[in-house]
Amino acid sequence: MSEVRLKHQTIEKLHYMTTLNTDGWIDKPLNGFYTHIYSNGHSVKHLFETEDDCKFGMNLLPIAAHACGVKLLMVQIMGTHFHEIASGRPEDCERMRRFIKRQLEAQMKKTGRKGYIPSGVEISIDEIKNETELKNKIIYVYRNSIAAGFRQAPWHYRWGPGDILFVDHNTAGRYGNRIGDLTVRQRNALFKTKIQIPADWMYDDSGMIIPHSYLDWEYVEKLFVSIRAFLAFLHQKKDIEVQIDRESADNLLQDRSDKALRDEARELCMSLFGRTSVSKSSIDERMAVAQKLWGNRRTYSLSQLARVTLLDKELLCQVFGRQSHG
């Protein structure tokens, strides 16, 4: 079921993500859907315990993104969780979330560690609204290893993007081995997937897909404009990091409380339209499900209704009015 979070936060909650000039608020809204996707590290014992686990995770994220038509801007894997910043259609990001969840849970079962994830792998998707929030969250993910105690610069952390931004990309792009030089059987065995991976992607001698091949570093560099601006953001203030930590924790708790309504929305999609999930339903079908849930008073929150139906809250406000509690 969908856990796409279409958040419409207040100015007070977003004050740490905005910029001002003499004319007032100037922070630019984003053109398209951008999101912070992350798993709950508090509900599992281990997820990426060994080097092979980490390579599996680092390969899974780009394979899932490619399979679902989603672009990745930043990734990082820690022992108990992962983070990524992505862009694409909301329904494609949701498909990617479910793809990653299934593959991680299958891998844990295959390796005899299902007991490490008693509640499964919980993955949340939070929409990113403006450019400054996007920059802050890219840096937050990039610095995640430092927050966890890594004592070197973040570009030295192996299970992240590496030294990828504001570098000589002609040289960086040639590093590694070309996936297209492998046979189909070799690809399937090395990357543990039958999904067709782009032939021009590169992998290192350990069998890990090199992030330079799949991260949209060109967009990220344009976003930050210059190396000077990027380095300024890299010195992220502690209050920003704490705020994002708190926001992510709050959203993981909210995701659990949404579960019953998501299940009901899925059942409605099946009974009304024969769809197996909300994300596979059309906008008109999702709106019909939203009308059922709202009309039956299954929720009094348009924010929650937006999350479980993958519809924009402002659209729901236009249809149902603004008489909600969240």
Side-chain angles (χ1 to χ4, degrees):
M1 280 302 297
S2 166
E3 293 185 16
V4 175
R5 186 167 302 282
L6 299 175
K7 297 183 300 182
H8 297 269
Q9 296 166 292
T10 62
I11 292 175
E12 290 78 11
K13 200 171 182 182
L14 283 174
H15 76 277
Y16 71 101
M17 295 178 179
T18 60
T19 56
L20 295 171
N21 66 6
T22 55
D23 297 322
W25 192 311
I26 62 168
D27 202 9
K28 293 173 62 177
L30 293 166
N31 182 22
F33 184 81
Y34 291 79
T35 179
H36 176 203
I37 303 175
Y38 53 95
S39 64
N40 184 359
H42 298 291
S43 64
V44 302
K45 183 178 179 181
H46 286 293
L47 196 58
F48 305 107
E49 187 176 19
T50 67
E51 181 167 323
D52 283 343
D53 291 337
C54 292
K55 282 189 290 186
F56 176 82
M58 284 295 289
N59 288 343
L60 172 60
L61 298 184
I63 289 171
H66 175 69
C68 297
V70 174
K71 290 185 177 181
L72 296 180
L73 309 185
M74 187 57 62
V75 298
Q76 189 144 138
I77 280 176
M78 309 302 295
T80 59
H81 64 285
F82 72 88
H83 290 271
E84 58 183 358
I85 305 296
S87 68
R89 299 190 308 169
E91 54 267 41
D92 291 336
C93 291
E94 165 58 16
R95 282 199 303 128
M96 180 175 70
R97 181 198 71 80
R98 288 187 284 112
F99 185 108
I100 294 170
K101 176 180 172 67
R102 286 195 305 270
Q103 293 298 315
L104 286 176
E105 290 176 350
Q107 179 71 0
M108 294 299 280
K109 182 178 180 180
K110 181 180 178 182
T111 55
R113 294 175 297 165
K114 190 175 180 181
Y116 285 3
I117 53 170
S119 302
V121 180
E122 301 172 357
I123 303 175
S124 288
I125 301 181
D126 297 343
E127 184 179 7
I128 298 171
K129 286 293 190 180
N130 57 61
E131 283 194 358
T132 307
E133 182 182 3
L134 179 59
K135 291 175 185 176
N136 276 326
K137 289 193 172 177
I138 286 172
I139 294 299
Y140 173 82
V141 173
Y142 194 43
R143 287 170 45 95
N144 207 244
S145 60
I146 298 176
F150 185 65
R151 294 182 176 276
Q152 299 179 35
W155 47 85
H156 289 304
Y157 184 65
R158 185 177 180 189
W159 312 118
D163 193 6
I164 194 174
L165 297 173
F166 298 99
V167 298
D168 180 349
H169 293 290
N170 288 327
T171 300
R174 291 196 298 268
Y175 172 73
N177 313 289
R178 189 173 176 273
I179 287 178
D181 294 335
L182 296 170
T183 66
V184 172
R185 180 174 294 181
Q186 287 173 328
R187 292 187 206 181
N188 295 349
L190 184 60
F191 304 114
K192 297 181 173 61
T193 184
K194 292 183 179 180
I195 290 173
Q196 187 172 356
I197 305 172
D200 59 347
W201 281 10
M202 309 292 281
Y203 67 97
D204 65 20
D205 291 340
S206 75
M208 187 177 82
I209 301 171
I210 295 172
H212 194 276
S213 294
Y214 60 83
L215 287 181
D216 193 354
W217 49 264
E218 186 173 9
Y219 175 85
V220 176
E221 288 188 350
K222 288 179 180 177
L223 179 71
F224 284 98
V225 179
S226 69
I227 180 64
R228 180 174 295 183
F230 171 71
L231 291 175
F233 267 85
L234 195 60
H235 295 282
Q236 191 168 76
K237 293 181 180 179
K238 186 64 178 177
D239 60 337
I240 295 177
E241 185 176 288
V242 168
Q243 177 65 32
I244 298 175
D245 281 339
R246 185 183 303 116
E247 175 189 310
S248 299
D250 289 346
N251 291 339
L252 285 165
L253 288 173
Q254 181 64 57
D255 286 339
R256 292 196 189 99
S257 71
D258 287 351
K259 184 178 185 304
L261 194 65
R262 288 198 303 271
D263 289 345
E264 193 166 346
R266 180 184 59 197
E267 290 170 4
L268 283 170
C269 284
M270 175 58 74
S271 63
L272 293 175
F273 310 111
R275 307 291 191 190
T276 57
S277 70
V278 173
S279 63
K280 292 180 180 178
S281 304
S282 68
I283 291 179
D284 288 342
E285 290 167 346
R286 282 180 256 162
M287 181 57 73
V289 169
Q291 288 172 328
K292 277 278 189 183
L293 295 173
W294 189 255
N296 292 336
R297 294 298 185 261
R298 309 307 293 171
T299 179
Y300 290 92
S301 167
L302 290 179
S303 294
Q304 186 180 50
L305 191 63
R307 289 193 296 272
V308 302
T309 59
L310 283 177
L311 292 168
D312 187 83
K313 182 182 174 183
E314 287 304 315
L315 174 61
L316 295 177
C317 285
Q318 291 173 21
V319 175
F320 302 121
R322 297 180 179 271
Q323 68 278 24
S324 80
H325 301 299

